[in-house]
Amino acid sequence: MYYFDPTYVLVIIAFALTMFASFGVKNTFNKYNEIYCRRGLTASEAARKILDANGLYNISIERVAGELTDHFSPKENVIRLSDSTYNSASVAAIGVAAHECGHAVQHQTGYVPIKIRNSIVPIVNIGNTLSMPIFIIGLILGIGPLAMAGAILFGLVLVFQIVTLPTEINASNRAMKTLKDMNLLDEDELQGAGKTLTAAAMTYVAAVAATALQFLRLIMLANRRRR
């Protein structure tokens, strides 16, 4: 007889949140990717101006394959802009590039949340690697405490995402302030860039919510084995 586990509802909600946020950021990016900067700046050019204005001459800008795969690598001192961003002069692309520059400035200024995030990465990687094997073994063998230990290790991923959230929001705030202060975008163009970055931030909020629901589900399943 088929048994429906009510905790599957949490998985469905988490999946729906993630898909909704992903659709939102792609839809918003595509919308404002059709609105171009009046100054004719490309995203890579805008990023170079922002970096130079902050004295970050040592950070290079490279192109990377994909769409919205933009990121800053502090170990390599490089900002990588995706195919959809690098040569684009849209307000969406410039906003995304400015956001990655915001991360570079965070590292330069010693922004505390990003220091905390970087310091817990090794522990989180261990927890992420071991959590599910330990949890599954605990469930299969009926050892509640072992399953709970796996669930708690998974909780480290949630902690990491919670710490990551303010760094992303701060990077976007820095980006918007810089674009305005350096007069790289006009007021109406700033609105488009801001909406793009807000939509991107919602993907991180959705990720935190989805991981929290998954964590709750693991705790609930582990508790069953403890009875």
Side-chain angles (χ1 to χ4, degrees):
M1 183 181 294
Y2 177 74
Y3 171 70
F4 175 75
D5 184 345
T7 64
Y8 284 143
V9 174
L10 299 178
V11 176
I12 295 171
I13 295 174
F15 178 77
L17 286 173
T18 302
M19 293 303 296
F20 180 77
S22 178
F23 173 79
V25 70
K26 288 182 180 179
N27 187 53
T28 304
F29 181 85
N30 289 337
K31 177 181 179 180
Y32 291 103
N33 201 36
E34 298 297 323
I35 300 175
Y36 298 98
C37 169
R38 295 185 183 92
R39 288 163 181 76
L41 279 175
T42 65
S44 57
E45 291 170 342
R48 186 71 271 161
K49 286 180 177 292
I50 295 171
L51 292 174
D52 290 350
N54 286 277
L56 298 175
Y57 307 105
N58 61 316
I59 295 179
S60 60
I61 301 170
E62 298 177 355
R63 186 168 184 159
V64 65
E67 182 179 1
L68 297 179
T69 51
D70 314 86
H71 63 277
F72 168 59
S73 175
K75 290 184 178 180
E76 300 170 284
N77 277 336
V78 59
I79 287 177
R80 294 190 174 94
L81 300 179
S82 63
D83 289 332
S84 57
T85 302
Y86 190 88
N87 279 328
S88 174
S90 73
V91 298
I94 291 173
V96 169
H99 173 90
E100 299 308 329
C101 290
H103 284 309
V105 175
Q106 285 174 341
H107 281 271
Q108 178 200 40
T109 58
Y111 181 60
V112 174
I114 209 165
K115 282 186 173 182
I116 296 173
R117 186 185 71 169
N118 291 342
S119 67
I120 65 175
V121 166
I123 299 174
V124 172
N125 286 339
I126 293 173
N128 190 38
T129 301
L130 298 179
S131 60
M132 294 312 296
I134 291 175
F135 177 79
I136 292 171
I137 291 172
L139 286 186
I140 292 174
L141 298 181
I143 304 174
L146 187 61
M148 184 61 70
I152 292 173
L153 283 174
F154 181 80
L156 293 174
V157 177
L158 177 59
V159 171
F160 179 78
Q161 290 184 339
I162 291 173
V163 174
T164 295
L165 188 57
T167 70
E168 296 299 329
I169 294 173
N170 178 264
S172 290
N173 290 339
R174 289 174 188 266
M176 293 304 298
K177 185 177 186 303
T178 299
L179 291 172
K180 182 176 182 179
D181 291 348
M182 293 183 64
N183 201 31
L184 297 178
L185 294 179
D186 291 338
E187 194 62 36
D188 59 326
E189 295 171 338
L190 283 170
Q191 293 179 11
K195 289 180 180 179
T196 300
L197 294 182
T198 297
M202 290 308 298
T203 63
Y204 291 96
V205 174
V208 170
T211 302
L213 290 171
Q214 176 69 349
F215 177 62
L216 176 60
R217 179 173 184 261
L218 296 183
I219 292 293
M220 292 170 65
L221 292 175
N223 268 330
R224 290 181 185 175
R225 292 299 184 183
R226 295 178 66 181
R227 295 174 184 174

